Amino acid sequence: QVQLAESGGGLVQAGGSLRLSCAASGRTFSMYNMAWFRQAPGKVREFVALIRWNGVILYYPDSVKGRFTISRDNAKNTVYLQMNSLKPEDSAVYYCAASAKTVYGTGWYKEATYDYWGQGTQVTVSL
Protein backbone atom coordinates (compact mmCIF):
# COMPACT_ATOMS: atom_id res chain seq x y z
CA GLN A 1 0.00 0.00 0.00
CA VAL A 2 1.24 3.46 -0.98
CA GLN A 3 -0.18 6.89 -0.22
CA LEU A 4 0.80 9.80 -2.46
CA ALA A 5 0.49 13.53 -1.75
CA GLU A 6 1.27 16.22 -4.33
CA SER A 7 2.31 19.77 -3.49
CA GLY A 8 3.87 22.81 -5.15
CA GLY A 9 1.12 23.88 -7.52
CA GLY A 10 -0.11 27.44 -7.79
CA LEU A 11 -0.52 30.48 -10.01
CA VAL A 12 2.43 31.57 -12.14
CA GLN A 13 2.95 33.91 -15.09
CA ALA A 14 3.81 32.58 -18.52
CA GLY A 15 7.55 31.98 -18.75
CA GLY A 16 7.85 31.22 -15.06
CA SER A 17 8.74 28.03 -13.22
CA LEU A 18 7.26 25.69 -10.64
CA ARG A 19 8.53 22.56 -8.93
CA LEU A 20 5.94 19.97 -8.02
CA SER A 21 6.60 17.37 -5.33
CA CYS A 22 4.96 14.03 -4.65
CA ALA A 23 5.64 12.48 -1.26
CA ALA A 24 5.07 8.74 -0.84
CA SER A 25 4.44 6.87 2.39
CA GLY A 26 5.45 3.34 1.44
CA ARG A 27 8.63 1.71 2.69
CA THR A 28 9.11 0.13 -0.75
CA PHE A 29 9.13 3.45 -2.63
CA SER A 30 12.42 2.66 -4.35
CA MET A 31 10.80 -0.34 -6.08
CA TYR A 32 8.02 1.71 -7.72
CA ASN A 33 7.84 3.32 -11.12
CA MET A 34 6.64 6.91 -10.65
CA ALA A 35 4.77 9.04 -13.17
CA TRP A 36 3.12 12.42 -13.59
CA PHE A 37 -0.19 12.94 -15.41
CA ARG A 38 -2.19 16.11 -16.00
CA GLN A 39 -5.82 16.89 -16.77
CA ALA A 40 -7.11 20.22 -18.07
CA PRO A 41 -10.80 21.18 -17.93
CA GLY A 42 -12.78 19.29 -20.56
CA LYS A 43 -9.75 17.18 -21.53
CA VAL A 44 -8.71 13.58 -20.99
CA ARG A 45 -6.06 12.79 -18.40
CA GLU A 46 -2.70 12.95 -20.18
CA PHE A 47 0.60 11.23 -19.44
CA VAL A 48 3.46 13.68 -18.86
CA ALA A 49 6.55 11.81 -17.65
CA LEU A 50 7.78 8.58 -16.08
CA ILE A 51 10.84 7.80 -14.00
CA ARG A 52 11.31 4.09 -13.49
CA TRP A 53 12.73 2.52 -10.36
CA ASN A 54 16.08 2.27 -12.14
CA GLY A 55 16.08 5.92 -13.26
CA VAL A 56 15.02 5.44 -16.90
CA ILE A 57 12.92 8.44 -18.02
CA LEU A 58 10.13 8.71 -20.61
CA TYR A 59 8.38 11.99 -21.51
CA TYR A 60 5.04 12.40 -23.27
CA PRO A 61 3.82 14.54 -24.99
CA ASP A 62 6.75 15.91 -26.95
CA SER A 63 5.80 19.48 -26.00
CA VAL A 64 7.16 19.06 -22.46
CA LYS A 65 10.60 17.84 -23.54
CA GLY A 66 13.27 20.44 -22.87
CA ARG A 67 11.00 22.29 -20.41
CA PHE A 68 10.02 19.66 -17.81
CA THR A 69 12.32 17.39 -15.83
CA ILE A 70 11.25 14.45 -13.68
CA SER A 71 13.51 13.25 -10.88
CA ARG A 72 13.33 11.26 -7.66
CA ASP A 73 15.02 11.20 -4.28
CA ASN A 74 14.58 7.75 -2.78
CA ALA A 75 16.03 8.84 0.57
CA LYS A 76 13.12 11.31 0.88
CA ASN A 77 10.48 9.05 -0.73
CA THR A 78 9.73 11.90 -3.12
CA VAL A 79 9.39 12.41 -6.87
CA TYR A 80 9.63 15.87 -8.45
CA LEU A 81 8.51 17.60 -11.63
CA GLN A 82 10.49 20.73 -12.43
CA MET A 83 8.53 22.85 -14.90
CA ASN A 84 10.25 25.74 -16.68
CA SER A 85 9.13 28.18 -19.40
CA LEU A 86 5.51 27.54 -18.50
CA LYS A 87 2.77 28.25 -21.03
CA PRO A 88 -0.97 28.83 -20.52
CA GLU A 89 -1.64 25.46 -22.17
CA ASP A 90 0.24 23.78 -19.29
CA SER A 91 -2.59 24.77 -16.94
CA ALA A 92 -4.10 21.61 -15.46
CA VAL A 93 -4.46 19.51 -12.35
CA TYR A 94 -1.25 17.51 -12.03
CA TYR A 95 -1.35 14.02 -10.51
CA CYS A 96 1.41 11.68 -9.44
CA ALA A 97 0.99 7.93 -9.78
CA ALA A 98 2.88 4.80 -8.73
CA SER A 99 3.13 1.35 -10.26
CA ALA A 100 4.91 -1.86 -9.29
CA LYS A 101 4.19 -3.32 -12.74
CA THR A 102 6.61 -3.65 -15.62
CA VAL A 103 5.03 -2.91 -19.00
CA TYR A 104 6.37 -2.12 -22.45
CA GLY A 105 5.78 0.43 -25.17
CA THR A 106 2.60 2.47 -24.88
CA GLY A 107 1.61 0.61 -21.72
CA TRP A 108 3.39 3.32 -19.73
CA TYR A 109 0.91 5.92 -21.07
CA LYS A 110 -2.12 4.07 -19.70
CA GLU A 111 -3.80 5.01 -16.44
CA ALA A 112 -4.53 1.33 -15.76
CA THR A 113 -0.81 0.65 -15.37
CA TYR A 114 -0.73 2.64 -12.14
CA ASP A 115 -2.01 1.29 -8.84
CA TYR A 116 -1.86 4.41 -6.67
CA TRP A 117 -2.78 8.05 -7.32
CA GLY A 118 -2.49 11.31 -5.44
CA GLN A 119 -5.30 13.85 -5.12
CA GLY A 120 -3.71 16.30 -7.55
CA THR A 121 -2.33 19.83 -7.38
CA GLN A 122 -3.60 22.74 -9.48
CA VAL A 123 -1.23 24.58 -11.82
CA THR A 124 -2.52 27.77 -13.44
CA VAL A 125 -0.37 29.71 -15.91
CA SER A 126 -1.51 33.24 -16.72
CA LEU A 127 -0.57 35.47 -19.64
Side-chain angles (χ1 to χ4, degrees), residues 21-46:
S21 299
C22 177
S25 64
R27 68 175 183 85
T28 59
F29 173 79
S30 63
M31 300 173 62
Y32 281 84
N33 306 295
M34 301 295 298
W36 288 95
F37 286 72
R38 66 186 183 184
Q39 188 168 19
K43 302 291 184 66
V44 68
R45 190 168 296 186
E46 178 185 46

mmCIF file of all heavy atoms in Angstrom, residues 21-46:
data_model
loop_
_atom_site.group_PDB
_atom_site.id
_atom_site.type_symbol
_atom_site.label_atom_id
_atom_site.label_comp_id
_atom_site.label_asym_id
_atom_site.label_seq_id
_atom_site.Cartn_x
_atom_site.Cartn_y
_atom_site.Cartn_z
ATOM 1 N N SER A 21 6.089 18.475 -6.122
ATOM 2 C CA SER A 21 6.605 17.370 -5.330
ATOM 3 C C SER A 21 5.501 16.357 -5.095
ATOM 4 O O SER A 21 4.328 16.713 -4.999
ATOM 5 C CB SER A 21 7.133 17.860 -3.980
ATOM 6 O OG SER A 21 8.189 18.774 -4.135
ATOM 7 N N CYS A 22 5.878 15.097 -4.991
ATOM 8 C CA CYS A 22 4.957 14.028 -4.649
ATOM 9 C C CYS A 22 5.626 13.178 -3.590
ATOM 10 O O CYS A 22 6.621 12.498 -3.870
ATOM 11 C CB CYS A 22 4.610 13.198 -5.882
ATOM 12 S SG CYS A 22 3.543 11.779 -5.545
ATOM 13 N N ALA A 23 5.092 13.226 -2.378
ATOM 14 C CA ALA A 23 5.639 12.480 -1.257
ATOM 15 C C ALA A 23 4.895 11.168 -1.098
ATOM 16 O O ALA A 23 3.664 11.143 -1.077
ATOM 17 C CB ALA A 23 5.542 13.305 0.023
ATOM 18 N N ALA A 24 5.636 10.076 -0.968
ATOM 19 C CA ALA A 24 5.068 8.740 -0.841
ATOM 20 C C ALA A 24 5.312 8.190 0.549
ATOM 21 O O ALA A 24 6.352 8.452 1.160
ATOM 22 C CB ALA A 24 5.671 7.808 -1.888
ATOM 23 N N SER A 25 4.357 7.402 1.034
ATOM 24 C CA SER A 25 4.438 6.867 2.391
ATOM 25 C C SER A 25 5.033 5.473 2.474
ATOM 26 O O SER A 25 5.452 5.051 3.537
ATOM 27 C CB SER A 25 3.047 6.847 3.027
ATOM 28 O OG SER A 25 2.180 5.969 2.326
ATOM 29 N N GLY A 26 5.064 4.729 1.395
ATOM 30 C CA GLY A 26 5.451 3.336 1.443
ATOM 31 C C GLY A 26 6.932 3.114 1.687
ATOM 32 O O GLY A 26 7.785 3.869 1.199
ATOM 33 N N ARG A 27 7.234 2.042 2.410
ATOM 34 C CA ARG A 27 8.632 1.705 2.685
ATOM 35 C C ARG A 27 9.340 1.153 1.464
ATOM 36 O O ARG A 27 10.570 1.111 1.438
ATOM 37 C CB ARG A 27 8.714 0.703 3.833
ATOM 38 C CG ARG A 27 8.155 -0.669 3.506
ATOM 39 C CD ARG A 27 8.371 -1.643 4.653
ATOM 40 N NE ARG A 27 7.891 -2.975 4.320
ATOM 41 C CZ ARG A 27 8.602 -3.883 3.659
ATOM 42 N NH1 ARG A 27 9.830 -3.605 3.253
ATOM 43 N NH2 ARG A 27 8.083 -5.076 3.400
ATOM 44 N N THR A 28 8.569 0.706 0.468
ATOM 45 C CA THR A 28 9.114 0.129 -0.750
ATOM 46 C C THR A 28 9.125 1.120 -1.905
ATOM 47 O O THR A 28 9.123 0.720 -3.066
ATOM 48 C CB THR A 28 8.343 -1.137 -1.147
ATOM 49 O OG1 THR A 28 6.962 -0.820 -1.336
ATOM 50 C CG2 THR A 28 8.481 -2.207 -0.083
ATOM 51 N N PHE A 29 9.169 2.414 -1.608
ATOM 52 C CA PHE A 29 9.132 3.451 -2.632
ATOM 53 C C PHE A 29 10.156 3.217 -3.735
ATOM 54 O O PHE A 29 9.867 3.413 -4.920
ATOM 55 C CB PHE A 29 9.355 4.822 -1.998
ATOM 56 C CG PHE A 29 9.499 5.934 -2.994
ATOM 57 C CD1 PHE A 29 8.393 6.481 -3.609
ATOM 58 C CD2 PHE A 29 10.756 6.433 -3.312
ATOM 59 C CE1 PHE A 29 8.522 7.511 -4.528
ATOM 60 C CE2 PHE A 29 10.900 7.462 -4.224
ATOM 61 C CZ PHE A 29 9.772 8.005 -4.839
ATOM 62 N N SER A 30 11.355 2.807 -3.367
ATOM 63 C CA SER A 30 12.425 2.662 -4.348
ATOM 64 C C SER A 30 12.138 1.586 -5.380
ATOM 65 O O SER A 30 12.791 1.562 -6.427
ATOM 66 C CB SER A 30 13.754 2.367 -3.656
ATOM 67 O OG SER A 30 13.703 1.129 -2.971
ATOM 68 N N MET A 31 11.167 0.716 -5.140
ATOM 69 C CA MET A 31 10.804 -0.338 -6.075
ATOM 70 C C MET A 31 9.750 0.107 -7.093
ATOM 71 O O MET A 31 9.485 -0.623 -8.046
ATOM 72 C CB MET A 31 10.273 -1.559 -5.324
ATOM 73 C CG MET A 31 11.262 -2.161 -4.355
ATOM 74 S SD MET A 31 10.526 -3.475 -3.344
ATOM 75 C CE MET A 31 10.072 -4.661 -4.601
ATOM 76 N N TYR A 32 9.141 1.272 -6.899
ATOM 77 C CA TYR A 32 8.023 1.705 -7.723
ATOM 78 C C TYR A 32 8.473 2.563 -8.889
ATOM 79 O O TYR A 32 9.400 3.371 -8.778
ATOM 80 C CB TYR A 32 7.009 2.490 -6.888
ATOM 81 C CG TYR A 32 6.105 1.607 -6.072
ATOM 82 C CD1 TYR A 32 6.502 1.130 -4.836
ATOM 83 C CD2 TYR A 32 4.848 1.257 -6.555
ATOM 84 C CE1 TYR A 32 5.676 0.307 -4.095
ATOM 85 C CE2 TYR A 32 4.015 0.439 -5.815
ATOM 86 C CZ TYR A 32 4.432 -0.033 -4.580
ATOM 87 O OH TYR A 32 3.599 -0.840 -3.850
ATOM 88 N N ASN A 33 7.769 2.394 -9.996
ATOM 89 C CA ASN A 33 7.841 3.317 -11.117
ATOM 90 C C ASN A 33 6.904 4.482 -10.821
ATOM 91 O O ASN A 33 5.754 4.276 -10.427
ATOM 92 C CB ASN A 33 7.420 2.616 -12.407
ATOM 93 C CG ASN A 33 8.214 1.357 -12.642
ATOM 94 O OD1 ASN A 33 9.417 1.403 -12.849
ATOM 95 N ND2 ASN A 33 7.547 0.215 -12.612
ATOM 96 N N MET A 34 7.390 5.713 -11.020
ATOM 97 C CA MET A 34 6.641 6.907 -10.654
ATOM 98 C C MET A 34 6.390 7.774 -11.871
ATOM 99 O O MET A 34 7.301 8.023 -12.663
ATOM 100 C CB MET A 34 7.403 7.708 -9.597
ATOM 101 C CG MET A 34 7.688 6.947 -8.314
ATOM 102 S SD MET A 34 6.181 6.499 -7.403
ATOM 103 C CE MET A 34 5.509 8.117 -7.047
ATOM 104 N N ALA A 35 5.159 8.256 -12.008
ATOM 105 C CA ALA A 35 4.767 9.037 -13.174
ATOM 106 C C ALA A 35 3.996 10.280 -12.773
ATOM 107 O O ALA A 35 3.430 10.364 -11.678
ATOM 108 C CB ALA A 35 3.909 8.194 -14.123
ATOM 109 N N TRP A 36 3.989 11.247 -13.679
ATOM 110 C CA TRP A 36 3.125 12.423 -13.589
ATOM 111 C C TRP A 36 2.133 12.410 -14.748
ATOM 112 O O TRP A 36 2.511 12.132 -15.896
ATOM 113 C CB TRP A 36 3.924 13.724 -13.635
ATOM 114 C CG TRP A 36 4.711 14.010 -12.397
ATOM 115 C CD1 TRP A 36 6.020 13.719 -12.172
ATOM 116 C CD2 TRP A 36 4.233 14.654 -11.217
ATOM 117 N NE1 TRP A 36 6.397 14.142 -10.918
ATOM 118 C CE2 TRP A 36 5.315 14.720 -10.309
ATOM 119 C CE3 TRP A 36 3.004 15.192 -10.828
ATOM 120 C CZ2 TRP A 36 5.203 15.292 -9.047
ATOM 121 C CZ3 TRP A 36 2.894 15.758 -9.577
ATOM 122 C CH2 TRP A 36 3.976 15.799 -8.701
ATOM 123 N N PHE A 37 0.865 12.713 -14.438
ATOM 124 C CA PHE A 37 -0.191 12.941 -15.409
ATOM 125 C C PHE A 37 -0.755 14.331 -15.181
ATOM 126 O O PHE A 37 -0.569 14.927 -14.118
ATOM 127 C CB PHE A 37 -1.321 11.920 -15.259
ATOM 128 C CG PHE A 37 -1.004 10.536 -15.746
ATOM 129 C CD1 PHE A 37 -0.144 9.707 -15.050
ATOM 130 C CD2 PHE A 37 -1.595 10.051 -16.908
ATOM 131 C CE1 PHE A 37 0.139 8.421 -15.491
ATOM 132 C CE2 PHE A 37 -1.327 8.764 -17.359
ATOM 133 C CZ PHE A 37 -0.457 7.952 -16.649
ATOM 134 N N ARG A 38 -1.482 14.850 -16.178
ATOM 135 C CA ARG A 38 -2.191 16.110 -15.998
ATOM 136 C C ARG A 38 -3.543 16.047 -16.702
ATOM 137 O O ARG A 38 -3.729 15.299 -17.660
ATOM 138 C CB ARG A 38 -1.379 17.300 -16.512
ATOM 139 C CG ARG A 38 -1.148 17.318 -18.016
ATOM 140 C CD ARG A 38 -0.209 18.467 -18.381
ATOM 141 N NE ARG A 38 -0.008 18.559 -19.817
ATOM 142 C CZ ARG A 38 0.825 19.417 -20.395
ATOM 143 N NH1 ARG A 38 1.540 20.271 -19.652
ATOM 144 N NH2 ARG A 38 0.949 19.432 -21.717
ATOM 145 N N GLN A 39 -4.479 16.850 -16.198
ATOM 146 C CA GLN A 39 -5.821 16.893 -16.765
ATOM 147 C C GLN A 39 -6.325 18.329 -16.741
ATOM 148 O O GLN A 39 -6.497 18.911 -15.669
ATOM 149 C CB GLN A 39 -6.782 15.984 -16.007
ATOM 150 C CG GLN A 39 -8.141 15.855 -16.666
ATOM 151 C CD GLN A 39 -8.964 14.736 -16.058
ATOM 152 O OE1 GLN A 39 -8.688 14.281 -14.950
ATOM 153 N NE2 GLN A 39 -9.970 14.288 -16.781
ATOM 154 N N ALA A 40 -6.556 18.886 -17.920
ATOM 155 C CA ALA A 40 -7.110 20.216 -18.068
ATOM 156 C C ALA A 40 -8.630 20.127 -18.154
ATOM 157 O O ALA A 40 -9.181 19.076 -18.503
ATOM 158 C CB ALA A 40 -6.546 20.885 -19.318
ATOM 159 N N PRO A 41 -9.341 21.214 -17.857
ATOM 160 C CA PRO A 41 -10.805 21.184 -17.933
ATOM 161 C C PRO A 41 -11.298 20.740 -19.299
ATOM 162 O O PRO A 41 -10.840 21.239 -20.330
ATOM 163 C CB PRO A 41 -11.204 22.633 -17.648
ATOM 164 C CG PRO A 41 -10.085 23.168 -16.819
ATOM 165 C CD PRO A 41 -8.851 22.511 -17.363
ATOM 166 N N GLY A 42 -12.215 19.781 -19.322
ATOM 167 C CA GLY A 42 -12.775 19.285 -20.560
ATOM 168 C C GLY A 42 -11.875 18.370 -21.360
ATOM 169 O O GLY A 42 -12.243 17.967 -22.466
ATOM 170 N N LYS A 43 -10.709 18.020 -20.816
ATOM 171 C CA LYS A 43 -9.749 17.184 -21.533
ATOM 172 C C LYS A 43 -9.545 15.858 -20.815
ATOM 173 O O LYS A 43 -9.807 15.725 -19.613
ATOM 174 C CB LYS A 43 -8.404 17.900 -21.670
ATOM 175 C CG LYS A 43 -8.452 19.244 -22.378
ATOM 176 C CD LYS A 43 -8.758 19.093 -23.858
ATOM 177 C CE LYS A 43 -8.704 20.443 -24.557
ATOM 178 N NZ LYS A 43 -7.334 21.004 -24.566
ATOM 179 N N VAL A 44 -9.044 14.876 -21.558
ATOM 180 C CA VAL A 44 -8.709 13.576 -20.992
ATOM 181 C C VAL A 44 -7.438 13.702 -20.157
ATOM 182 O O VAL A 44 -6.606 14.594 -20.392
ATOM 183 C CB VAL A 44 -8.546 12.532 -22.119
ATOM 184 C CG1 VAL A 44 -7.310 12.831 -22.962
ATOM 185 C CG2 VAL A 44 -8.489 11.133 -21.558
ATOM 186 N N ARG A 45 -7.290 12.818 -19.181
ATOM 187 C CA ARG A 45 -6.062 12.794 -18.401
ATOM 188 C C ARG A 45 -4.900 12.347 -19.297
ATOM 189 O O ARG A 45 -4.996 11.355 -20.014
ATOM 190 C CB ARG A 45 -6.207 11.864 -17.202
ATOM 191 C CG ARG A 45 -5.059 11.974 -16.217
ATOM 192 C CD ARG A 45 -5.363 11.255 -14.909
ATOM 193 N NE ARG A 45 -6.489 11.860 -14.214
ATOM 194 C CZ ARG A 45 -6.887 11.509 -12.993
ATOM 195 N NH1 ARG A 45 -6.245 10.562 -12.330
ATOM 196 N NH2 ARG A 45 -7.930 12.110 -12.445
ATOM 197 N N GLU A 46 -3.796 13.082 -19.233
ATOM 198 C CA GLU A 46 -2.704 12.950 -20.180
ATOM 199 C C GLU A 46 -1.415 12.593 -19.458
ATOM 200 O O GLU A 46 -1.048 13.232 -18.465
ATOM 201 C CB GLU A 46 -2.529 14.273 -20.942
ATOM 202 C CG GLU A 46 -1.398 14.314 -21.947
ATOM 203 C CD GLU A 46 -1.247 15.693 -22.555
ATOM 204 O OE1 GLU A 46 -1.271 16.686 -21.798
ATOM 205 O OE2 GLU A 46 -1.125 15.779 -23.790
#
